[in-house]
Amino acid sequence: MKNLGSIHPLLARTTSDLDRRQFLKRGARAVAATAAMSSFPVGLVSRARAADSTIVVGFITSMSGPVSSLGIPYDQGIKAALAFKNQVGGKSVKLIALDDASDPTIAAVNARKLIQESNVDVIIGTAGSPGALAIATVCAETKTPLICIANANPQGEPGNWTITIPQPAPLMIAGAVAHMQQAGVKSVGYMGFADPWGDLVYNALMESTPAAGIKVTSNERYARADTSVTGQALKVFATRPDVFVGGGSGTPGALPYLALRERGYKGQFYGTPAIINPAFVKVGGAAVEGLIASTGPVVVFEQLADTNPTKAVSQEFAKALKATVPDATPNAFSGYSFDAWVLFLAAAENAIKTNAPGTPQFKLALRDALTNAREVVGSHGVYNFKPGSRYGNDERSRVLVKLEKSDWKLIS
Amino acid sequence: MSLDIVLILLIDGLSTGAIYLLAGLGFVLVFSVTRVIFIPSGDIAAFAALTLAAFQSRTVPGSIWLVAAMAVLACLAECVTLVRNGSARRLPHAIFFYAVLPLIPCIAGLAIAKQDVPEILRIAITMALILPMGVLIDRLTLRPLATSSTLILFIVAIAVHFLIAGIGLIVFGPEGVRTNPILDGVASLPGGVVVPAQQILMMIVALLLSLVFYLFFGRSITGKALRATASNRVGARLMGIRPERAAAAAYLIASGLAAIVGILIAPVTTMYYDSGFMIGLKASVGAIIGGMASYPITAIGSVFIGILESGASFVASDYKEIIIFSVVIPVLIWRSFAVHRDGDEEIEELA
């Protein structure tokens, strides 16, 4: 074999090429992040930000990677929010947006950059819960308030610097359970992800069903990449529940509903806010027709009664969104970004009276104003936060919607 | 657990097993001819599903650009090698096989993407588009290392998997898809058990392809050449069989099998850019049962994994994956006792 001699150099070349590709990919991300940073004057200038200049908000979302299907709407929401209002208490607001590429490590690095190099007053982020938890740790360390747009509940000191916009799972599940109770349902089957989200939905179900006199008949689990859930569906089927709740999210969330309908299950389907996206409806097709899910009012804001306080906010939001991203319509995720902005504006209005932006005192005042926010109306509901708890939603941030002819219709 | 539940689980397991069988045959074929554990074959299956789904929703699938780019790169690589080796007269041949042939379905795909065409044409073009992927991946990444150790080939195959899964995310996006069933409707068994026609189709295709495999390796010259390369690479070479050509044939067949897997499975489950990996991994358990060498035992092993998975998902859905992959341990112990009887490749490598 005459080419034996070339094996080693060849090999070395190919493997190092692969390494370099990986490295370049990471490098490209870092460069992109740096480029995004440098669009704003960083370094000494920003460190020594004049005390009476602008308020600076850091925004982190996932514009690439697997979480980007949520991350992109989050970004659209914040763009609309900035167009909606970029002044507070006579000061202008500057937004610096960074991509975390669906990677919690990059999310944490970005948070640190925003705080140390751009001296931001508050951070809004990010699309995934693991990334949000990573940011919360950095925020606590640097005493920077975090408005969390993913459904995350950081504990301890990070929790003291965080408020979370999305509705907690138990609140949303309780809405679906109340609807079941009215309909005279006695038993409910459950199949969810084999991950923390699946646990969260199941626990919420176990919490709210006993009071309603409803029995949970099954706790089946599946993975996003499963090729078949027939076994689990049969087991759910065998327990003969009146209705069924799926604990998945996005398109993988459609799998249990499809398998049950295929096996001839006739009961009503319920779902969580996590399945409300256009791709779910497409994949679910006829099987998910008539499905009832709880979600934030912004998803069906046009159908809300005029007396609903969130309707006016959502209309403002829709208008701003249309102006900034013409082909986008408001959805739950862009709504969370918008509400984060609304809460930030309300808090900044208070904090700015006593402290100048860019100072630790201002960040502390902003944190206190955020965690004590009262009756702030957003597109997802009316927020009331209190120190020691991340969630600030009540029943006003929950509506029930039904999937009719591939459209979500408000039912209560 | 009543009888009809057992029956439904059995049928579900058989149809999943049929998928693992097809993927497992591809594993054994590529491994025996090239010593590569071809992890990316799962990704190729996912790409086939996503490509067909894109055609069905009247969009241009990103795989067209991917295949076209790979074809151009592979053609360049081949031409450079030929010129270096002083066999420039084979250039037209190389250009035809590495660039022209793969580009034909790319162009056809672009032409039909936005049109209302019969389903069968979409499936045919998807097949034709995905078919060269294995060969192109081989030419670009694995061929230059063909004489390295099995371990290095394995590591490179894993790296290639991550690379093309990443590309999959870019060209297809993070959302999952489902395709329209090829066969609609259900068949009723006595006892009130219904079987979706698509599952029957999966089993029939697996059965037919197994038969074709059997005939191909037993009767045709190419099949015999592949078998010869598999059993002794150097000996086959001395007999005038080109290992590169045998490898290309193996990759072509494996990609074809992967494409069939993807097209068959996409109507019954939601496919993502990275779904193929799990299918490939479970199929590889079937192939490991077959010792990465025996087609009949791989077939039995794959069907066993399918039925085990179906049963495990009923009995203990939380532990399903653990149960399936635990099977590897006793199999490997058993194999480690049996290996001394098989042809030992390490000895051959020294030769």
Side-chain angles (χ1 to χ4, degrees):
Chain A
M1 296 206 180
K2 65 175 179 178
N3 64 339
L4 256 176
S6 65
I7 290 172
H8 292 295
L10 250 179
L11 169 65
R13 198 173 74 203
T14 312
T15 46
S16 72
D17 272 359
L18 281 172
D19 287 345
R20 201 160 64 215
R21 237 177 268 169
Q22 274 295 319
F23 177 77
L24 279 176
K25 208 168 144 198
R26 295 206 159 212
R29 281 184 195 160
V31 170
T34 322
M37 298 284 309
S38 58
S39 65
F40 178 77
V42 290
L44 286 174
V45 183
S46 64
R47 260 173 209 281
R49 242 172 67 200
D52 58 348
S53 69
T54 55
I55 304 174
V56 185
V57 179
F59 178 70
I60 304 171
T61 187
S62 309
M63 296 299 286
S64 52
V67 195
S68 59
S69 66
L70 312 183
I72 291 166
Y74 275 123
D75 181 63
Q76 295 171 343
I78 208 77
K79 282 189 180 127
L82 195 65
F84 164 67
K85 196 175 176 196
N86 61 2
Q87 292 228 321
V88 60
K91 306 257 187 233
S92 63
V93 184
K94 180 127 200 162
L95 182 84
I96 306 173
L98 295 183
D99 174 19
D100 67 14
S102 306
D103 184 339
T105 317
I106 299 180
V109 170
N110 281 347
R112 211 171 279 282
K113 269 187 192 166
L114 286 170
I115 295 162
Q116 289 175 351
E117 293 176 18
S118 310
N119 194 19
V120 297
D121 297 302
V122 56
I123 288 183
I124 299 175
T126 177
S129 304
L133 290 171
I135 295 173
T137 311
V138 177
C139 281
E141 202 183 294
T142 53
K143 304 213 180 304
T144 309
L146 167 67
I147 307 179
C148 177
I149 48 177
N151 204 334
N153 188 4
Q155 303 295 318
E157 187 56 17
N160 294 337
W161 290 87
T162 307
I163 63 166
T164 299
I165 306 295
Q167 300 88 340
L171 177 73
M172 297 314 251
I173 300 299
V177 170
H179 186 269
M180 291 175 203
Q181 194 180 9
Q182 272 175 15
V185 169
K186 291 281 162 251
S187 59
V188 53
Y190 176 75
M191 190 198 307
F193 277 172
D195 75 356
W197 175 245
D199 290 342
L200 204 63
V201 177
Y202 181 71
N203 293 340
L205 205 57
M206 293 308 281
E207 223 171 84
S208 53
T209 45
I214 298 172
K215 194 169 152 278
V216 181
T217 61
S218 62
N219 179 18
E220 292 301 308
R221 296 309 172 87
Y222 71 106
R224 173 176 165 274
D226 276 359
T227 50
S228 161
V229 292
T230 303
Q232 293 95 319
L234 281 175
K235 203 155 176 194
V236 172
F237 201 92
T239 61
R240 309 222 166 276
D242 294 343
V243 296
F244 171 79
V245 173
S249 71
T251 32
L255 208 51
Y257 301 117
L258 285 159
L260 278 167
R261 280 290 184 257
E262 190 182 290
R263 291 287 147 209
Y265 181 73
K266 299 276 191 292
Q268 172 68 45
F269 284 155
Y270 287 90
T272 62
I275 57 169
I276 297 191
N277 82 1
F280 169 84
V281 178
K282 196 174 153 202
V283 165
V288 296
E289 183 68 21
L291 180 140
I292 294 172
S294 44
T295 184
V298 65
V299 174
V300 287
F301 76 94
E302 282 154 325
Q303 303 168 36
L304 293 172
D306 288 335
T307 51
N308 192 315
T310 66
K311 186 169 184 175
V313 180
S314 290
Q315 281 167 336
E316 287 282 346
F317 167 43
K319 212 169 79 192
L321 187 65
K322 202 162 186 66
T324 43
V325 194
D327 55 345
T329 49
N331 67 20
F333 305 106
S334 52
Y336 292 137
S337 291
F338 189 81
D339 286 6
W341 193 258
V342 169
L343 278 157
F344 152 72
L345 290 176
E349 190 124 36
N350 280 327
I352 209 148
K353 285 175 191 155
T354 46
N355 293 287
T359 60
Q361 294 80 4
F362 180 71
K363 290 205 285 189
L364 187 67
L366 201 57
R367 193 277 302 262
D368 290 341
L370 282 170
T371 53
N372 288 298
R374 284 281 164 274
E375 294 291 308
V376 178
V377 184
S379 66
H380 265 283
V382 183
Y383 297 89
N384 283 293
F385 288 95
K386 58 177 189 291
S389 160
R390 259 59 64 200
Y391 293 103
N393 316 81
D394 55 25
E395 282 75 17
R396 288 175 288 181
S397 65
R398 175 186 74 203
V399 295
L400 286 182
V401 293
K402 190 172 187 176
L403 194 59
E404 280 174 8
K405 298 196 179 69
S406 302
D407 258 328
W408 296 103
K409 290 275 175 294
L410 179 71
I411 56 170
S412 76
Chain B
M1 210 155 104
S2 64
L3 194 66
D4 53 338
I5 286 183
V6 174
L7 202 59
I8 294 171
L9 286 176
L10 197 65
I11 292 165
D12 186 57
L14 280 174
S15 60
T16 316
I19 290 298
Y20 296 156
L21 189 159
L22 293 176
L25 291 182
F27 267 117
V28 175
L29 174 62
V30 171
F31 180 77
S32 59
V33 175
T34 65
R35 299 175 304 123
V36 174
I37 299 174
F38 195 50
I39 308 281
S41 69
D43 301 302
I44 295 177
F47 280 21
L50 290 157
T51 303
L52 185 58
F55 279 138
Q56 286 181 352
S57 58
R58 311 278 189 283
T59 48
V60 177
S63 45
I64 288 184
W65 309 119
L66 178 62
V67 171
M70 287 203 307
V72 170
L73 288 176
C75 181
L76 280 177
E78 182 69 14
C79 290
V80 168
T81 314
L82 284 178
V83 171
R84 267 195 199 160
N85 292 351
S87 28
R89 67 195 160 75
R90 278 168 57 204
L91 279 181
H93 184 261
I95 292 170
F96 179 71
F97 275 100
Y98 285 102
V100 178
L101 274 188
L103 286 176
I104 292 172
C106 293
I107 294 162
L110 280 178
I112 66 138
K114 306 246 157 120
Q115 311 295 322
D116 267 321
V117 292
E119 198 60 37
I120 188 80
L121 186 63
R122 290 202 181 114
I123 292 175
I125 289 183
T126 304
M127 282 288 297
L129 191 64
I130 299 301
L131 213 49
M133 277 192 78
V135 183
L136 296 175
I137 290 172
D138 168 51
R139 182 62 196 86
L140 286 171
T141 60
L142 294 157
R143 172 96 56 90
L145 306 167
T147 45
S148 326
S149 75
T150 313
L151 184 65
I152 287 172
L153 291 173
F154 180 53
I155 292 167
V156 173
I158 291 176
V160 170
H161 151 70
F162 281 112
L163 189 71
I164 66 174
I167 295 173
L169 178 59
I170 295 169
V171 300
F172 291 112
E175 287 297 352
V177 295
R178 243 169 209 258
T179 57
N180 309 327
I182 302 167
L183 282 184
D184 233 336
V186 290
S188 294
L189 293 185
V193 175
V194 290
V195 189
Q198 183 70 26
Q199 288 195 342
I200 300 175
L201 180 72
M202 284 152 74
M203 289 183 263
I204 291 176
V205 169
L207 214 60
L208 282 179
L209 282 176
S210 306
L211 192 69
V212 169
F213 242 67
Y214 173 74
L215 293 175
F216 173 74
F217 282 105
R219 305 286 160 88
S220 77
I221 290 288
T222 319
K224 285 176 180 167
L226 283 174
R227 263 170 64 200
T229 319
S231 68
N232 191 325
R233 204 178 157 86
V234 179
R237 196 171 178 155
L238 291 173
M239 292 296 112
I241 298 166
R242 281 215 191 102
E244 286 85 12
R245 199 164 282 182
Y251 281 113
L252 201 64
I253 297 170
S255 311
L257 287 171
I260 292 171
V261 164
I263 289 167
L264 281 179
I265 205 166
V268 296
T269 189
T270 318
M271 291 294 277
Y272 304 85
Y273 69 96
D274 62 348
S275 295
F277 183 60
M278 218 35 177
I279 298 171
L281 216 53
K282 285 173 187 164
S284 75
V285 178
I288 288 167
I289 294 176
M292 288 307 242
S294 159
Y295 295 106
I297 303 177
T298 299
I300 295 167
S302 306
V303 173
F304 166 71
I305 291 297
I307 294 172
L308 182 72
E309 181 175 10
S310 166
S313 69
F314 182 81
V315 178
S317 56
D318 322 15
Y319 298 103
K320 194 187 71 173
E321 316 288 19
I322 301 172
I323 294 172
I324 294 164
F325 291 112
S326 307
V327 171
V328 176
I329 298 167
V331 167
L332 285 180
I333 293 173
W334 164 60
R335 276 276 149 201
S336 71
F337 289 121
V339 78
H340 301 291
R341 287 186 280 109
D342 295 346
D344 202 304
E345 62 165 77
E346 296 302 327
I347 296 167
E348 186 200 317
E349 251 173 54
L350 290 174

